[in-house]
Amino acid sequence: MTTGVRRGQWQTAADVLARVSRRPGITRAAVARELRLSTSSATEVTARLRDVQLLTEVPAPSQGRGRPTTVLRAHPRGPVVLALDLRQGSWRSAVVALDGSFVQQQSKRHRSRRPQVVLGNLHKAVLQVQEQYGDRLQVVSLAAAGTIRDNRLMQAPTLGWAEVDLQTITDLPLLVGNDATLSGVAEARTGAAAGAGTALHLIVEVGIGGTLLIDGVPAQGASGAGGEYGHIPFGDRGRQCPCGARGCWDLEIDGRALARHLKEPAPDDPYGYAEAVLHRTDRAASRAVARVVTALATGIAGLVNAHDPEVVTVGGLAIPLRAAAESTFEQAYRAGLMNFHRASPPPVLSATHQPDGPLRGAAALALDHLTTEPSIASWADRR
């Protein structure tokens, strides 16, 4: 039998696994209903997946009368992925099973921010997981705070890195995404934007990033570098951004902007500085926060006008900034919307996966890869 034919036999199985990875705790009955499978077909498919150590089943909680069903979970000897989240001062990792559950996690601070040192430490972490899980580890997925193109970090101002090849961390298949983009994936799959056909996600840390998601899939542009919303010229054209452009929105909505409004030196740690200002109660701090919140809300309105999302989710500093000046945010948001949006503006919701969004998004990206027909067929062949 040819490989192509054998892979074709896993089409329904791929659909089932995709549901399991995106809907933790889903029952066999719910999968059958959503995929329009008969009871016998659902039983047959899940049995095949159990035989090749991809799924296992446990009794579902009793719902009263009716035929009992089971919850579909990752097989304890099944494939896993490694999700990594590379931040300004630290990195995190999680081994993730096929049903999206985090099997183990760790977090470490950077002792050095030089690329060769940081990537070397990530490489060691991947090797340790490979030693522990063997060929069960199928994919490594990395979220990074910077502009990504073809598994290369093109620029990462918060890390102080120029172009860096990220493939050096592993010989396994590597998937790389921008941290804000992957946070959006997490929100669209299992967070505040779940169920929305079109969602806009934004996260403020040092600058602002985000993504537009269509049915849970980010619009990444021709080379994967889409979603750099912080570099739209919503700001002062007289200001040069570290990215090379002028007037970037990035410079108007984080700790750097707050320091500028307060006539204080540019902070070494813009995120920490912003948190400190948000705890202040003096009038100067309140005025500075109001200016930044106005810039944030006005920019979000502009993106709503451009993209027409059903919902907007925000994370990072955007949540406490909005909370500190809620009325200012609402007024600026509505004022920036086109007339037809004002009657029923898209809600702006706080992100659910704080601060796990990038890690969960990276895991989702890897699980998407793991639940394709070729990946399932390859795993089944080895079993």
Side-chain angles (χ1 to χ4, degrees):
M1 185 178 291
T2 66
T3 302
V5 173
R6 296 182 70 180
R7 286 181 176 175
Q9 292 184 342
W10 294 104
Q11 179 177 352
T12 302
D15 293 336
V16 170
L17 291 178
R19 291 298 195 285
V20 171
S21 68
R22 294 190 183 204
R23 299 261 304 279
I26 194 169
T27 65
R28 188 208 299 172
V31 169
R33 187 166 55 250
E34 293 179 12
L35 296 178
R36 298 182 179 179
L37 299 175
S38 66
T39 301
S40 60
S41 294
T43 301
E44 179 186 356
V45 172
T46 53
R48 291 179 67 203
L49 291 171
R50 187 171 58 248
D51 289 344
V52 295
Q53 299 180 348
L54 284 168
L55 284 185
T56 188
E57 300 178 79
V58 298
S62 176
Q63 300 293 325
R65 293 183 178 181
R67 181 176 297 177
T69 186
T70 57
V71 172
L72 302 180
R73 292 183 177 168
H75 195 284
R77 294 188 296 279
V80 296
V81 302
L82 178 64
L84 299 167
D85 180 18
L86 177 59
R87 318 303 293 164
Q88 182 180 14
S90 64
W91 60 269
R92 298 175 61 199
S93 70
V95 177
V96 185
L98 195 59
D99 58 4
S101 58
F102 281 22
V103 179
Q104 64 184 54
Q105 299 183 64
Q106 68 169 321
S107 177
K108 292 191 177 181
R109 302 287 301 177
H110 298 316
R111 293 186 177 180
S112 167
R113 287 170 58 182
R114 289 186 298 161
Q116 58 268 38
V117 175
V118 173
L119 297 184
N121 289 334
L122 291 179
H123 177 66
K124 291 176 184 177
V126 174
L127 290 179
Q128 289 173 355
V129 175
Q130 282 184 281
E131 290 175 3
Q132 182 176 356
Y133 288 89
D135 69 350
R136 290 179 60 198
L137 180 62
Q138 297 285 294
V139 184
V140 177
S141 186
L142 172 68
T147 303
I148 307 297
R149 178 182 289 172
D150 300 327
N151 281 6
R152 299 185 73 85
L153 189 60
M154 303 307 293
Q155 57 181 25
T158 61
L159 288 164
W161 294 3
E163 187 173 349
V164 175
D165 183 7
L166 298 170
Q167 188 65 58
T168 59
I169 69 172
T170 183
D171 293 328
L172 291 168
L174 176 68
L175 306 173
V176 183
N178 171 266
D179 61 336
T181 298
L182 294 178
S183 291
V185 171
E187 292 304 317
R189 300 289 179 84
T190 58
T198 304
L200 174 66
H201 178 72
L202 299 166
I203 183 169
V204 178
E205 290 187 347
V206 180
I208 187 167
T211 186
L212 178 71
L213 299 116
I214 310 296
D215 294 329
V217 179
Q220 295 185 314
S223 61
E228 292 290 348
Y229 291 123
H231 303 289
I232 296 175
F234 285 163
D236 183 351
R237 294 286 295 168
R239 273 191 202 97
Q240 179 90 37
C241 178
C243 78
R246 289 187 171 275
C248 290
W249 191 25
D250 257 8
L251 304 180
E252 309 299 327
I253 44 75
D254 65 8
R256 294 167 296 182
L258 289 169
R260 193 169 64 248
H261 297 324
L262 289 166
K263 296 182 171 51
E264 295 180 358
D268 293 330
D269 176 12
Y271 193 99
Y273 179 87
E275 289 183 314
V277 172
L278 284 166
H279 281 94
R280 287 169 52 174
T281 57
D282 58 284
R283 293 180 66 181
S286 296
R287 286 194 297 267
V289 168
R291 292 181 67 177
V292 166
V293 167
T294 298
L296 173 64
T298 301
I300 291 174
L303 294 177
V304 167
N305 293 338
H307 291 315
D308 189 28
E310 294 174 39
V311 63
V312 180
T313 56
V314 295
L317 285 171
I319 296 174
L321 281 167
R322 180 184 180 181
E326 182 74 34
S327 61
T328 298
F329 181 94
E330 293 300 328
Q331 290 172 12
Y333 177 51
R334 285 183 172 272
L337 293 173
M338 299 169 69
N339 284 334
F340 79 95
H341 277 304
R342 290 181 188 169
S344 182
V348 180
L349 306 177
S350 295
T352 299
H353 296 301
Q354 293 273 33
D356 290 339
L359 201 62
R360 291 192 176 277
L365 195 69
L367 293 176
D368 285 351
H369 176 86
L370 205 60
T371 55
T372 61
E373 290 182 64
S375 293
I376 296 169
S378 177
W379 173 268
D381 285 344
R382 293 197 300 274
R383 294 299 178 276

